[in-house]
């Protein structure tokens, strides 16, 4: 069974930084189409993509509002995904989810329903 587990998160003031981590256990790591991503959902709003990355090609994708502030990266040896979040804004407040899938269409890599395996989510709160 694929397991996806997030860690990190917390509460910071606007302008601060946080780093999220995600470990995933999946045979998909051996396939070129494997991808992982970070998504977020604020109360009363739909889940949206934040940043995603392909595993073999190491190609990254970012939602426009986080470009230049967030950085997605991975540690292959530890099978761990990271999201470094700098210059945080109150509108970044949400529950953040890590997701993975072995066969993600690159044209749809930022679409939540393309991912079949999800973590439980962690809270990120940015105060004004």
């Amino acid at each position: 069974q694929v397991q996806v587990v997030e860690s990190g998160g917390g509460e910071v003031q606007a302008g601060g930084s946080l780093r999220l981590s995600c470990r995933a256990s999946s045979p998909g790591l051996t396939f070129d189409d494997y991808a992982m991503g970070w998504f977020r959902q604020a109360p009363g709003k739909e889940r949206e993509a934040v940043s995603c990355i392909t595993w073999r090609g190491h190609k990254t994708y970012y939602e426009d509002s986080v470009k230049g502030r967030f950085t997605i990266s991975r540690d292959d040896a530890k099978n761990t995904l990271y999201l470094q979040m700098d210059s945080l804004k109150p509108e970044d407040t949400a529950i953040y989810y890590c997701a993975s899938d072995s066969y993600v269409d690159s044209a749809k890599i930022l679409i939540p329903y393309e991912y079949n395996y999800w973590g439980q989510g962690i809270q990120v709160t940015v105060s004004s």
Side-chain angles (χ1 to χ4, degrees), residues 19-36:
R19 189 173 84 156
L20 308 182
S21 300
C22 172
R23 291 200 66 183
S25 177
S26 173
L29 290 172
T30 65
F31 301 102
D32 290 342
D33 291 335
Y34 181 82
M36 296 184 71

Side-chain angles (χ1 to χ4, degrees), residues 101-122:
D101 201 279
S102 297
Y103 304 97
V104 177
D105 184 343
S106 61
K108 301 178 180 179
I109 196 167
L110 297 177
I111 306 299
Y113 66 70
E114 288 294 305
Y115 296 80
N116 291 317
Y117 305 102
W118 294 82
Q120 296 301 305
I122 50 176

